[in-house]
Amino acid sequence: MMLYVSLVIMTMLGAVASLALKKACGAQGLLAIAKSGFLYVGGFLYLSTAVINIILLRYLDYSVVLPFTSLTYVWSTILSAKILKEHVSKKQMTGLALIVLGTCLLIL
């Protein structure tokens, strides 16, 4: 069970990494982006996600780990709606629900 919790944490870290990089890109100019702390936080979180992914692949089947990473889309959409105030359509919500359903079916 702890492996599946680690999978969920990995996907959450990936979503936060993407959000940090999105925030870094809000800076004006390449130099400002390079100086942004968000750039380094995002990069560190992506690296952390990759390391967790590699570790999990030692213990779980690839056919489980890879589809599970689709949960990153769910967390990314939630973060974009809550933090970036982006609109989430009904079609997107339906897609996210299907991702969650599919992920649940994988672990049963």
Side-chain angles (χ1 to χ4, degrees), residues 23-105:
K23 293 288 232 174
C25 290
Q28 297 296 321
L30 196 54
L31 185 60
I33 292 172
K35 290 180 179 180
S36 171
F38 287 116
L39 178 68
Y40 300 101
V41 169
F44 174 77
L45 291 175
Y46 266 134
L47 179 62
S48 301
T49 300
V51 170
I52 294 169
N53 194 358
I54 291 166
I55 292 168
L56 288 171
L57 286 169
R58 287 187 69 179
Y59 301 103
L60 294 173
D61 291 337
Y62 182 67
S63 60
V64 172
V65 174
L66 186 64
F68 229 98
T69 60
S70 65
L71 282 179
T72 304
Y73 297 117
V74 175
W75 312 131
S76 295
T77 304
I78 292 169
L79 288 173
S80 69
K82 296 292 183 191
I83 295 174
L84 301 175
K85 306 297 184 207
E86 294 181 359
H87 173 74
V88 180
S89 69
K90 288 181 182 178
K91 187 186 288 186
Q92 287 171 308
M93 294 288 276
T94 302
L96 295 177
L98 291 172
I99 288 171
V100 171
L101 177 64
T103 303
C104 290
L105 289 174

